[in-house]
Amino acid sequence: MKRSAGLLLFRPSGQGFEVLLGHMGGPFFARRDAGAWTVPKGEYEPNEPAWDAARREFQEELGLPPPDGEAIDLGEVRQTNGKIVTVWAIEADLDPAAIVPGTFRMEWPPRSGRLQEFPELDRVAWFGPERAREVIVKAQAAFLDRLAEHSP
């Protein structure tokens, strides 16, 4: 079973809070909005602590060091593909223009024999809870609910 870990940044706003989500890169998500945004996260091996993986993946996905601060454990969810995702929330601000996303290579178009490079996340943005719920990977919406329970 695959496992991923990530960090969900949040900041206070007039809507209570905003969260930083990343739009998944590559051709499959290029024209999608709903269900194409995610907590910055990535897979890790069973012998790596999930917290360490979440911080490493934040750096790899966004090209920026993970912020310091009190981490709120938002637990796990199982996505429809079976992957278990573990997330911590940290209050921090980040300028989306500052990201330098990591990349991955894949054959594209399919069966073309051509390898192309794509960003892991092609953009990041701040969302209020309602809009975040409309665009985030469905199972990850539970993290928004859990964060709201911790917010004043």
Side-chain angles (χ1 to χ4, degrees):
M1 178 181 326
K2 292 186 177 185
R3 300 184 71 86
S4 284
L7 299 179
L8 178 62
L9 299 193
F10 70 97
R11 65 184 184 187
S13 79
Q15 303 165 44
F17 64 88
E18 293 180 317
V19 293
L20 185 76
L21 300 177
H23 185 270
M24 292 182 271
F28 298 121
F29 299 99
R31 291 185 171 84
R32 288 183 52 197
D33 198 40
W37 292 80
T38 182
V39 173
K41 62 173 181 41
E43 292 183 8
Y44 65 98
E45 297 299 322
N47 60 343
E48 182 180 14
W51 170 248
D52 293 346
R55 294 181 56 78
R56 174 182 51 76
E57 287 293 334
F58 186 93
Q59 174 87 41
E60 289 177 12
E61 298 257 326
L62 301 181
L64 301 169
D68 293 324
E70 181 184 344
I72 301 168
D73 185 350
L74 298 181
E76 297 180 341
V77 298
R78 181 184 300 270
Q79 297 184 159
T80 54
N81 62 5
K83 183 184 290 183
I84 303 291
V85 179
T86 306
V87 167
W88 287 266
I90 297 178
E91 184 175 344
D93 203 356
L94 182 146
D95 178 0
I99 71 156
V100 182
T103 60
F104 68 96
R105 294 174 59 97
M106 67 179 282
E107 183 180 8
W108 190 259
R111 297 179 294 286
S112 67
R114 292 188 11 219
L115 283 179
Q116 292 193 46
E117 194 167 283
F118 298 97
E120 295 273 351
L121 298 173
D122 57 22
R123 62 192 182 275
V124 298
W126 289 99
F127 293 93
E130 288 182 27
R131 181 68 179 134
R133 185 172 302 286
E134 293 171 2
V135 299
I136 197 167
V137 171
K138 192 173 185 174
Q140 292 180 25
F143 296 131
L144 303 174
D145 297 336
R146 295 171 191 171
L147 178 58
E149 292 172 7
H150 285 36
S151 295

